Amino acid sequence: MDVLNVTERDGNKVLDERTISYIQTTLEADDCYYPGVCNTVGVVPAEEYTAIELSGTDRPGLLSEVCAVLAGMRCAVQSAELWTHNTRVAAVVHVTDAGSGGAIDDEARVGDISRRLENLLRGQSGVRAAAAAAPGGLTHKERRLHQMMFDDRDYDGGGASPPGQRRGECVRQRTEVSVTPCAERGYTAVVVRCRDRPKLLFDTVCTITDMQYVIHHGTVSREPGDGAYQEYYIRHVDGHPVRSEAERQRVVQCLEAAIERRTADGLELEIRTGDRTGLLSDITRIFRENGLTIRRAEISSEGGEAVDTFYLSDPQGHPVEAKTIEAIRAQIGEARLRVKHNPFAGDGGDNPAADVAGSTAFLFGSLFKFYRPFQNFRLIKLYSIIN
């Protein structure tokens, strides 16, 4: 039996009947548990949209090339989410046919998209091309991003840190993970202390599950000073506790990575504007031309409006200067641009929304992390969801 005491993000009690009903029906439904999706390259037709998965190492401009391929194939991006961590990147993009608005179901066109993407990545190790079988269910975007980055071993650190910053410096100073034996009960005790934030429990539990451990007991709570405390008693699916120092270190590294992936210390910039084909490509090109790198992105489009949130810094992780923000305002166009948070600048506050010139739709520009070139773009996968 699991007992969870939850509030809304602002700390208030959940009173909205629709929210309560949604939570109840979702938890009671069998289809809220999704099987893992194998890492292959393929496109499967469906009714609503086609999902594209991308993961690998940084190379400036590669995503712009990917976007050009998608634009040339008349693909419109409906939503996307991108994470970067330890010079690795993962993205899940939902696209539709720009003409019909539905998933791409023409086999010849699907094959052409696959071939063009494969040609774009030719010579990159780890890229495989194969027809994907339709998944039994589509994994939640953020769930899939955790799986992709875990498979890509982003927890290993994968390369040097950017100039002027030690790898993981922003988050690991606030994150403590301890893994200790509990031999008398046959468990391993895992304790995580870090800064509290939304979806923290989701991130840690997903990673413990992906590592093939079962949680037998657990306690989570908030601590004074905006902290969070999590305690789990785990065993491997084979029934054994953690059995070696190397395994213990791996659990620590993977949980630290799970917490860091979603954390993006940078200028948080929200752009709202009318949706149109090519918007995302235009916006990310403007960021690139102004010397900014995208550390995380959340892209959505609904009812003809695009709402894009980007977490930005310069390539060295330095604050985004006010003149750069103003240059972006001037170039983006007819849109509402809001600087929601700029921790690097030390203001920590919200700036008022501003009108600017702009345009909208979705492709991928150079929506990729920062510091290291994309030496290896290991995974491209396309699949579709059936309504």
Side-chain angles (χ1 to χ4, degrees), residues 234-310:
I234 66 172
R235 289 180 183 144
H236 196 267
V237 290
D238 62 10
H240 291 93
V242 173
R243 288 173 283 191
S244 68
E245 176 61 19
E247 185 180 2
R248 190 192 73 81
Q249 286 292 338
R250 184 169 178 265
V251 173
V252 171
Q253 289 177 334
C254 289
L255 286 174
E256 286 180 347
I259 294 168
E260 292 172 7
R261 287 171 193 148
R262 195 191 295 273
T263 304
D265 289 326
L267 170 72
E268 184 179 351
L269 192 67
E270 181 186 272
I271 299 171
R272 291 176 178 261
T273 186
D275 196 9
R276 69 157 177 82
T277 301
L279 171 69
L280 188 57
S281 181
D282 289 344
I283 291 173
T284 54
R285 174 184 50 80
I286 290 170
F287 292 157
R288 184 177 66 249
E289 290 174 351
N290 282 276
L292 300 181
T293 57
I294 299 170
R295 307 185 68 170
R296 188 157 71 87
E298 299 172 6
I299 310 299
S300 64
S301 175
E302 186 174 353
E305 183 182 42
V307 181
D308 304 343
T309 301
F310 301 94

Side-chain angles (χ1 to χ4, degrees), residues 267 286-287 289-292 312 319-331:
L267 170 72
I286 290 170
F287 292 157
E289 290 174 351
N290 282 276
L292 300 181
L312 307 166
V320 178
E321 296 181 356
K323 64 180 182 181
T324 302
I325 297 173
E326 291 307 315
I328 292 171
R329 292 182 194 274
Q331 294 173 59

Side-chain angles (χ1 to χ4, degrees), residues 29-322:
D30 291 337
D31 59 2
C32 70
Y33 303 102
Y34 299 109
V37 182
C38 59
N39 296 337
T40 57
V41 178
V43 184
V44 180
E47 296 177 4
E48 291 188 15
Y49 55 77
T50 297
I52 302 174
E53 296 181 353
L54 312 125
S55 71
T57 341
D58 245 344
R59 170 164 76 78
L62 180 58
L63 256 271
S64 294
E65 298 172 27
V66 171
C67 286
V69 170
L70 295 177
M73 298 301 295
R74 306 184 311 282
C75 299
V77 178
Q78 299 302 308
S79 67
E81 187 148 354
L82 176 142
W83 294 353
T84 60
H85 179 241
N86 277 345
T87 75
R88 310 302 296 173
V89 64
V92 177
V93 190
H94 292 170
V95 301
T96 60
D97 177 79
S100 69
I104 301 166
D105 56 6
D106 180 87
E107 292 186 7
R109 183 177 168 198
V110 161
D112 196 14
I113 293 172
S114 293
R115 285 190 295 273
R116 292 190 186 196
L117 290 173
E118 290 159 16
N119 289 337
L120 185 64
L121 303 175
R122 184 165 292 165
Q124 306 292 336
S125 61
V127 176
R128 294 174 295 163
L138 185 66
T139 304
H140 184 281
K141 268 202 215 78
E142 296 169 352
R143 180 80 177 92
R144 189 68 190 123
L145 287 167
H146 274 302
Q147 292 173 340
M148 292 162 65
M149 299 204 89
F150 177 78
D151 290 342
D152 204 23
R153 299 179 65 88
D154 70 312
Y155 54 85
D156 277 347
S161 300
Q165 179 181 348
R166 293 188 299 275
R167 185 172 61 245
E169 179 179 49
C170 293
V171 178
R172 288 187 181 173
Q173 290 179 343
R174 298 187 296 268
T175 302
E176 297 177 5
V177 180
S178 65
V179 178
T180 56
C182 189
E184 67 277 8
R185 297 185 178 271
Y187 298 124
T188 297
V190 176
V191 174
V192 180
R193 281 189 168 93
C194 63
R195 182 178 58 184
D196 195 17
R197 60 166 173 78
K199 302 188 180 180
L200 178 61
L201 178 62
F202 175 90
D203 294 342
T204 53
V205 171
C206 282
T207 297
I208 290 171
T209 303
D210 289 341
M211 296 180 70
Q212 301 295 304
Y213 294 104
V214 177
I215 298 172
H216 290 268
H217 308 281
T219 301
V220 298
S221 62
R222 295 195 66 180
E223 293 189 322
D226 203 26
Y229 176 87
Q230 301 175 76
E231 179 181 292
Y232 304 105
Y233 291 86
I234 66 172
R235 289 180 183 144
H236 196 267
V237 290
D238 62 10
H240 291 93
V242 173
R243 288 173 283 191
S244 68
E245 176 61 19
E247 185 180 2
R248 190 192 73 81
Q249 286 292 338
R250 184 169 178 265
V251 173
V252 171
Q253 289 177 334
C254 289
L255 286 174
E256 286 180 347
I259 294 168
E260 292 172 7
R261 287 171 193 148
R262 195 191 295 273
T263 304
D265 289 326
L267 170 72
E268 184 179 351
L269 192 67
E270 181 186 272
I271 299 171
R272 291 176 178 261
T273 186
D275 196 9
R276 69 157 177 82
T277 301
L279 171 69
L280 188 57
S281 181
D282 289 344
I283 291 173
T284 54
R285 174 184 50 80
I286 290 170
F287 292 157
R288 184 177 66 249
E289 290 174 351
N290 282 276
L292 300 181
T293 57
I294 299 170
R295 307 185 68 170
R296 188 157 71 87
E298 299 172 6
I299 310 299
S300 64
S301 175
E302 186 174 353
E305 183 182 42
V307 181
D308 304 343
T309 301
F310 301 94
Y311 298 81
L312 307 166
S313 71
D314 79 353
Q316 287 74 40
H318 295 153
V320 178
E321 296 181 356

